[in-house]
Amino acid sequence: MFSVQNILILMMVLFFGFTSLRFGGFGIGEIILLFFCILQLIGQRSIVLSIEKHLFSLFWISYLFVISIGYCVNRFFDINPQFVSFDYQAYIVVLFLCFTFETLFKESSFVHLYSIIRFIYFIGLAMIGVLFILFLEGYRVLFGYYITYAGSDIFSPFANDYHQFAYFVAPLPFIGLYIFTKENNFIIKILAVLGVLLSVDIGLATTSSTLVAAWILALLVLVISMITFGLKRLRDDASLLLVLLCIGSFILLFNYEKIFVIIQDFFYADSNGGSRLTIWTNAMKAWLHSPVFGLGPGSFSGEHVFDGYEAHNTFLQILTQGGVVAGFIYLLFISKLIKMTHVNLFLLCGVISLVAYGFGINDLRRTVLWFYFILFYYLSLKSKGEGS
């Protein structure tokens, strides 16, 4: 479980979200990513891209190509030209992340990939759990850096925006359930369940209405799937059902009022103080200025059209940047990802929680999200191989 590679990967994933610890646009997470990228490039004699093994890299190459056309359209018609280097820089970093870990994971066994997700879950939660305990004890600053959002009562350790941290937490409850079904050791099972409860509590402490809405949607998929296909397809059926009922009862009993308020806020408020419904409407209006190829990199929504804010919805952001062409490419990508992770219900729900998070925020630049996607994809791919 403990290995240099697993430790470096965990540090990378955590520091992706610790944005207040960065130097400019780069931090420890990006440095570790660069290290892994160089190692993979050195070890490759030739690079042959395929849809199955380089799904993510091909998506980003296609997306960058389409939004570049959109940028040219924007400039030619002088619709709303913007400063684009920030988006290009961020997207290229994500492209290198995808290529690096696709290259690494395609050569890895299922056992190796499972050890990575297990290490991230238990050790990552333990580290964040320590910070969470300090938060509950009233600490707001640690080593001169906030562990809350701008000194408030919102848990956001070392992150300038609580969404940047919440993306790390988003799939953890479903990862915990996945580990619960895979482990035979009773103590590990108990720790996995406790981790689910802890991750839910941490997620609620971020006050992210988007995260709660994503969890509810993923939980609905989980419940409907279990009812439809029957518990007989899952390992440890009776004990798993009992765990899910206990977790659901715990969440509803202690947090139902908070959950209701957060869901209500999802539609009528966002982190910039505006209404998501207004921002979404203006994003659609901006998209109609160039519906086929979009307007290129940049932010084209806000309280008014072209107000300089992101669409607060990944698909709408894709439409404004790359039009229906990029939107179609994204839908193909997501459908392929869901089809692959469908082999395990909990990995599927982990993906759905991350995709659903994008309903209320733009997640194209969230590096931790893309790492999770790749890890879930290859876990599913390798588990199919293990099963055969």
Side-chain angles (χ1 to χ4, degrees), residues 216-243:
I216 291 174
L217 180 59
L219 186 60
L220 285 175
V221 171
L222 177 64
V223 172
I224 292 172
S225 298
M226 292 177 70
I227 293 173
T228 303
F229 298 108
L231 287 170
K232 64 182 181 180
R233 293 178 177 267
L234 300 175
R235 186 185 301 176
D236 297 327
D237 297 348
S239 59
L240 180 59
L241 178 60
L242 180 62
V243 167

Side-chain angles (χ1 to χ4, degrees), residues 315-365:
F315 190 70
L316 290 179
Q317 187 76 6
I318 288 172
L319 286 180
T320 60
Q321 292 190 347
V324 293
V325 176
F328 179 71
I329 293 172
Y330 179 72
L331 290 178
L332 285 178
F333 162 75
I334 291 298
S335 64
K336 177 68 175 177
L337 178 60
I338 289 176
K339 182 179 179 181
M340 179 60 70
T341 54
H342 194 266
V343 300
N344 185 281
L345 182 56
F346 302 112
L347 293 179
L348 173 64
C349 288
V351 167
I352 289 174
S353 68
L354 291 168
V355 172
Y357 206 132
F359 291 168
I361 201 75
N362 172 35
D363 59 20
L364 288 176
R365 295 191 301 267

Side-chain angles (χ1 to χ4, degrees), residues 255-293:
N255 299 287
Y256 70 95
E257 292 182 350
K258 184 185 295 186
I259 291 174
F260 178 78
V261 172
I262 291 176
I263 293 175
Q264 187 178 33
D265 289 344
F266 174 78
F267 292 99
Y268 297 103
D270 65 58
S271 55
N272 293 319
S275 167
R276 280 195 175 93
L277 294 179
T278 301
I279 293 173
W280 293 343
T281 300
N282 290 327
M284 292 292 292
K285 293 177 180 177
W287 164 61
L288 291 175
H289 282 77
S290 177
V292 179
F293 291 107

Side-chain angles (χ1 to χ4, degrees), residues 45-117:
R45 293 184 178 179
S46 61
I47 299 174
V48 180
L49 299 180
S50 66
I51 293 178
E52 183 178 56
K53 294 184 178 180
H54 296 92
L55 174 68
F56 302 88
S57 298
L58 290 174
F59 164 76
W60 275 107
I61 291 171
S62 303
Y63 186 74
L64 285 165
F65 176 73
V66 173
I67 64 174
S68 295
I69 297 176
Y71 175 69
C72 294
V73 172
N74 191 351
R75 296 292 298 184
F76 182 80
F77 292 104
D78 197 28
I79 300 171
N80 186 242
Q82 294 197 28
F83 182 72
V84 299
S85 63
F86 177 75
D87 273 350
Y88 271 126
Q89 176 181 288
Y91 295 162
I92 290 172
V93 169
V94 176
L95 170 59
F96 274 99
L97 179 142
C98 292
F99 172 77
T100 298
F101 286 98
E102 282 176 321
T103 305
L104 176 63
F105 290 166
K106 74 177 182 179
E107 304 297 336
S108 301
S109 67
F110 172 80
V111 173
H112 179 216
L113 295 177
Y114 180 71
S115 73
I116 293 174
I117 199 171

